[in-house]
Amino acid sequence: MDAIHIIKLLMTTSILLLVFALGAHATFADATSFIRTVFRPPYWLLRALASMYIVVPAVAVWIGLVFDLERPTRIALLAMSIAPIPPILPGKQLRLGGSASHVFGLLVAVSLSAIVQLPLMVGLIGHVFGKEASFGPLEVARLIGMTILVPLTAGLLAGRLAPRWADLVAPWTSRLGTILLFAVVALVLFKFWPIMASLIGSGALLAMIGMATAGIAAGHWLGGPEPSDRAIFAIASAMRHPGIAIAVASANVPQEPRLVAAVLLYVLVSLAMTSFYGVLIRPRHPVTA
């Protein structure tokens, strides 16, 4: 088993454990809150979709058209701009004071919408750049189901049907998932850092900072008057699911290690940018237990 397969195995396991642990502390009402209120003021889901899938992709397309970036970097930014929320994002949002109903409601609603939205966006962006591009809804559904919906549903069911067991198991699954995630980060840096470092001097780093900043600003602006809601939207707009982004990009440009490295570099950039954003807003709404 090579390093790539080990990374995929550890990443999948860590995500399953972390999302299960998050789901064990949520409710079905939380998970469906955005879907149930999609057409009611203040239109939280529509605001989130506008921030994530109109503003950020527009910025990515503009960067791709205006700046002289290497093709793998350009494709990576476009793929990340249309990917859904990463499965471990709710933990970060909850630590910044986000309500469970908004955090989990956004995760589920955006994940389900991606099954329709993502293939359409792939085709649209491919048309803008004059290239045929495709990624089917069944593949999106499979990836989202495996990394988000299945472990989240398992956690929700455990919390509903066996709450005492869930309270006992969830902290341990969260700890183990975190350990595995750190192991994945270490392996990724070891495997891809030389390629990632080569991208930094090509203008890729500035482009990624620009796109992450645009996502944070759009989410903060569309998140409404409450600082906690602004934090949820801002982080969701800037951080995206790297597994789905890599799958989308690789389906159209296979066997390109620089593309994978560019996606992973954006993950690090967006993580740093959103962490800095969290430091800036934390005094306004302290983290609650």
Side-chain angles (χ1 to χ4, degrees), residues 132-190:
E132 183 179 353
S134 63
F135 197 74
L138 291 179
E139 182 65 11
V140 181
R142 185 185 70 82
L143 289 169
I144 289 177
M146 287 177 58
T147 60
I148 298 177
L149 299 180
V150 170
L152 182 64
T153 301
L156 289 169
L157 288 172
R160 178 77 175 266
L161 302 177
R164 294 181 62 183
W165 179 83
D167 288 340
L168 179 65
V169 170
W172 290 101
T173 59
S174 179
R175 292 187 190 103
L176 179 57
T178 302
I179 292 171
L180 293 178
L181 188 60
F182 278 116
V184 169
V185 172
L187 285 172
V188 164
L189 290 176
F190 175 78

Side-chain angles (χ1 to χ4, degrees), residues 15-32:
I15 286 174
L16 291 174
L17 293 171
L18 288 169
V19 177
F20 172 85
L22 289 167
H25 294 105
T27 66
F28 283 97
D30 293 335
T32 59

Side-chain angles (χ1 to χ4, degrees), residues 76-161:
L77 289 177
L78 291 170
M80 286 296 280
S81 75
I82 61 176
I85 297 173
I88 60 172
L89 189 62
K92 188 178 182 72
Q93 292 171 319
L94 290 169
R95 286 192 295 273
L96 286 175
S99 67
S101 63
H102 281 189
V103 169
F104 291 106
L106 180 63
L107 175 68
V108 172
V110 169
S111 298
L112 291 175
S113 70
I115 297 172
V116 175
Q117 162 270 324
L118 200 147
L120 293 176
M121 293 291 289
V122 168
L124 178 61
I125 289 176
H127 179 72
V128 169
F129 286 92
K131 295 183 181 294
E132 183 179 353
S134 63
F135 197 74
L138 291 179
E139 182 65 11
V140 181
R142 185 185 70 82
L143 289 169
I144 289 177
M146 287 177 58
T147 60
I148 298 177
L149 299 180
V150 170
L152 182 64
T153 301
L156 289 169
L157 288 172
R160 178 77 175 266
L161 302 177

